[in-house]
Amino acid sequence: MFSNLDLAVAFIYVCLGLIGFGVLILLTMKARSIILERKRAALLEKHQPYFVYLQRHIVDPDPFQPPKGPLSPLETRVIQDKLMEWIEKFRGAQRQKLTALCEDMDLVQLDRKQLSSMFYAKQMKAAYRLGGMRSAQAVEPLIELMKQEKDGPLLHVLARSVAKCAEHLDQLYVMLQQLTRHRKGNYLNAAEVLEETSLDVTPLLLQCMEDRDHNLVKTALLALRGQTGVTLTPALLRLADSDDKEIRSLAVKMLVRAGNILPEETICSWLTDPEGEIRAAVAESLGQFGYEGSIPALKQALTDSDWWVRYHSAKSLAMMGDAGFRTLCEAALERDDPFKSDMAKDRIHEELLREHFFANRRKQISGAHTKQSLYEQYFGQASSVPNIRGIGGDYSA
């Protein structure tokens, strides 16, 4: 019988053998990778005259001629990779001319066949390459595969490729439906995918805002972020009353960013919304637009149960000149709510520090002590900027 020591030695030998085998596999893979890269570099050098021909005739109206003679599979992929690289760099007629060359070389057809492969990796690579070539011929097979595919990496690659290749908004709409039907959070990715298309998606997004599918509505709202205008206001106001808190939050945030087209009373009314995220966004926007009439509402918001609402309310008050800073000083002296008092003190401290540093940098100390003077009116004479211990702060997040 083997002793415990013999078993331990045998186990060590087995482990060493497995480690050696693993190292051998890694070295083999590394060697193959190096050999492949050298082959690709040699093929790029071989076909350099053809690439020069493409560069010289990129602006000519005539179509490109495919490479002469038969090509090996690796040669085909090397040329395809170079064409995909240029397709991403060019726009308009030049991009279309390069895409047409990919079609003439049957590169699109080759990868369309790969989409039906039994191997997941081959499907993934084919979907990626079809998107890189931006061929309209690839849209239908990509969408068909999306309908069969479950949520996963391949689904997202397919969606991105459809966005790159689509020629019609209807194709993008089907893509969005397939991408968002699996998982609730996919609308975040869907909005990002739409950035890949060369089409004007504004009509599609307006259509999605009216859709019954909440995921499509959220996709549209995310994709429209940063856009403001009177044309969006009616739809956004309707969505601001949605039962879905995410939709309501996104709609209200877009509306408050365009607050100059809404009555101040409407914006202030959202400070009582049940969702803290919405109240915080509204409090932040009021300061950015400088609505001094909202100072009472912001002072009341300093008592909010959500830390971010209190933070943005105090910050917005500090942005509203002397009137807002006076309100902060008054709130700091009130003892009815410690959260309100602490947040006001914390913001006062930040503002005094900021004023002090900017005054020193600009060497305009005599003209930059407005807030310091207001502070002294409420809290007494101070020889320097108060420290954090003297002021306090709201750390209840």
Side-chain angles (χ1 to χ4, degrees), residues 15-262:
C15 290
L16 289 174
L18 291 173
I19 292 172
F21 183 69
V23 171
L24 180 61
I25 292 177
L26 289 175
L27 291 175
T28 303
M29 293 174 62
K30 180 66 175 178
R32 289 184 60 185
S33 177
I34 292 173
I35 293 172
L36 181 61
E37 286 302 315
R38 288 177 179 174
K39 288 182 178 179
R40 293 178 68 90
L43 291 173
L44 282 172
E45 183 67 25
K46 173 185 176 181
H47 290 282
Q48 187 61 31
Y50 182 70
F51 297 141
V52 172
Y53 154 74
L54 296 179
Q55 290 176 311
R56 288 178 176 176
H57 296 82
I58 189 66
V59 295
D60 294 348
D62 297 329
F64 288 125
Q65 295 297 318
K68 295 181 179 179
L71 299 174
S72 68
L74 183 56
E75 282 181 299
T76 301
R77 292 306 183 192
V78 168
I79 294 175
Q80 183 181 23
D81 290 342
K82 178 60 72 172
L83 293 177
M84 289 167 53
E85 178 185 338
W86 287 351
I87 286 172
E88 288 301 313
K89 292 180 179 179
F90 287 98
R91 295 291 186 272
Q94 288 76 32
R95 172 182 284 179
Q96 294 174 4
K97 192 174 177 180
L98 290 167
T99 297
L101 176 60
C102 292
E103 295 171 352
D104 293 340
M105 293 177 62
D106 290 331
L107 298 177
V108 175
Q109 187 63 25
L110 177 62
D111 281 314
R112 285 183 59 176
K113 292 179 180 179
Q114 292 290 325
L115 285 178
S116 58
S117 172
M118 296 177 58
F119 299 100
Y120 192 81
K122 287 188 176 182
Q123 288 182 316
M124 184 83 75
K125 291 178 181 179
Y128 171 77
R129 287 193 291 260
L130 287 170
M133 291 183 288
R134 293 182 178 264
S135 172
Q137 297 178 9
V139 176
E140 293 305 322
L142 288 169
I143 290 178
E144 287 302 315
L145 187 55
M146 284 191 73
K147 293 178 180 178
Q148 303 169 19
E149 188 65 23
K150 297 180 180 179
D151 189 27
L154 178 57
L155 182 70
H156 296 273
V157 174
L158 290 167
R160 196 171 294 274
S161 294
V162 171
K164 290 181 176 182
C165 300
E167 288 188 320
H168 307 290
L169 294 180
D170 290 345
Q171 296 169 334
L172 292 178
Y173 180 73
V174 175
M175 178 272 289
L176 292 177
Q177 284 182 315
Q178 298 303 318
L179 182 58
T180 59
R181 67 186 170 91
H182 295 284
R183 185 158 49 93
K184 182 180 179 182
N186 271 357
Y187 63 86
L188 297 169
N189 182 260
E192 181 185 354
V193 164
L194 284 177
E195 296 178 4
E196 300 286 353
T197 184
S198 57
L199 302 176
D200 178 12
V201 296
T202 303
L204 173 63
L205 296 177
L206 293 175
Q207 175 188 345
C208 289
M209 288 175 67
E210 305 292 335
D211 204 286
R212 293 183 179 181
D213 187 341
H214 283 187
N215 284 327
L216 292 181
V217 176
K218 295 172 189 176
T219 298
L221 291 173
L222 285 171
L224 285 167
R225 282 187 303 183
Q227 298 187 33
T228 57
V230 179
T231 56
L232 296 177
T233 302
L236 291 174
L237 285 172
R238 180 181 59 80
L239 294 176
D241 295 326
S242 173
D243 295 332
D244 189 302
K245 66 178 183 180
E246 290 183 86
I247 291 178
R248 191 169 72 253
S249 175
L250 291 170
V252 169
K253 286 179 181 179
M254 289 184 65
L255 285 167
V256 297
R257 290 191 185 102
N260 56 323
I261 62 176
L262 290 176

